[in-house]
Amino acid sequence: ESSQFDVDIFHRHYMFHPRPLLIKGAGRPSNESAGHWTRDGLLLQAGERKVEAELFPRAQVFDGSHPQKMTLREYVSLLESRTETTARKKLHYAYLPLDVSEVYLNFSATLPEIVDGKVEHMGSVFLLGGALMGAPPHHHGPALNSLAYGQKLWFLDPPGREIVAHESMYDYLLRTKGALTSRRCVQEAGDLLFVPRGWTHGTLCLSRECVGVSLEISHQMFDLRD
């Protein structure tokens, strides 16, 4: 629970000695930004923002495939048009890195209150998708992942078992018969999941829509980069 969170324990026992940590309730939007995370609020704030949806992050660079280019408003309409029959054929995921000039989605690029000012904020990625969509296994530096709406299933593997998959998460799970050796964690709306440096992780949206943000972090003393 967020009320039990201790930042010193987090630094020493989860960042320095890398272990994932799920913090219930710590990923809820702030009072100031909560309205932007609703469907109507998101469309009002960022409906005209350009989106390039792909089966997996940077697919265009890897295999030359063309992303689906549209506005965020059009992408939300695409999600709402999916049915149980068509969902498996419409798996293009909105994975939107935010830079310092971001205007439409800048409300999402803020650290949760429990760590604000206690870690370095290195970057942000806004995430939007629907059932059976998600990011296939990959790994990078430490990140805090909040989920504003939906339910998400995480697959986690410790350092030494690094994987990078260049396919949709749904196809990866079919190919591996459910990634049976990976650890699993279910993230509910309002939860915050810390994924440490070097841990391979993939996600699958279990609900009609999943909306959240990944906040890349570091710490001069407790994040061992080499």
Side-chain angles (χ1 to χ4, degrees), residues 36-216:
H36 296 316
W37 288 98
T38 66
R39 179 190 182 280
D40 291 343
L42 182 60
L43 293 181
L44 181 63
Q45 173 74 13
E48 304 313 309
R49 206 249 196 217
K50 300 300 182 183
V51 170
E52 294 189 3
E54 299 184 279
L55 291 176
F56 56 91
R58 294 174 288 279
Q60 185 176 14
V61 175
F62 177 76
D63 61 13
S65 60
H66 296 291
Q68 293 188 354
K69 298 182 180 182
M70 63 193 80
T71 65
L72 191 143
R73 186 182 307 278
E74 291 168 335
Y75 184 71
V76 169
S77 295
L78 182 150
L79 293 180
E80 293 175 340
S81 71
R82 297 167 80 230
T83 65
E84 290 186 10
T85 303
T86 64
R88 294 169 178 81
K89 300 177 182 179
K90 297 181 178 181
L91 295 171
H92 285 70
Y93 189 49
Y95 176 94
L96 310 176
L98 308 180
D99 60 30
V100 294
S101 63
E102 177 68 36
V103 175
Y104 293 109
L105 297 169
N106 57 2
F107 65 87
S108 68
T110 57
L111 289 173
E113 182 179 354
I114 61 170
V115 294
D116 192 16
K118 298 163 185 172
V119 295
E120 301 169 42
H121 185 186
M122 310 299 290
S124 304
V125 180
F126 185 85
L127 304 167
L128 174 63
L132 305 182
M133 294 181 179
H138 61 288
H139 52 87
H140 47 66
L144 293 163
N145 300 273
S146 67
L147 187 64
Y149 287 96
Q151 185 184 60
K152 189 178 287 189
L153 178 61
W154 287 76
F155 296 81
L156 301 155
D157 289 278
R161 295 173 56 188
E162 289 87 350
I163 305 167
V164 177
H166 299 291
E167 58 192 321
S168 74
M169 187 60 179
Y170 178 76
D171 289 335
Y172 171 78
L173 291 173
L174 286 180
R175 180 173 60 81
T176 61
K177 296 179 172 58
L180 298 178
T181 60
S182 296
R183 305 178 189 186
R184 289 167 174 75
C185 173
V186 175
Q187 183 183 26
E188 306 284 353
D191 292 348
L192 185 69
L193 180 65
F194 170 66
V195 179
R197 180 177 295 280
W199 275 72
T200 295
H201 53 284
T203 62
L204 188 75
C205 180
L206 301 179
S207 51
R208 185 172 177 83
E209 286 97 20
C210 289
V211 188
V213 65
S214 179
L215 303 163
E216 299 164 2

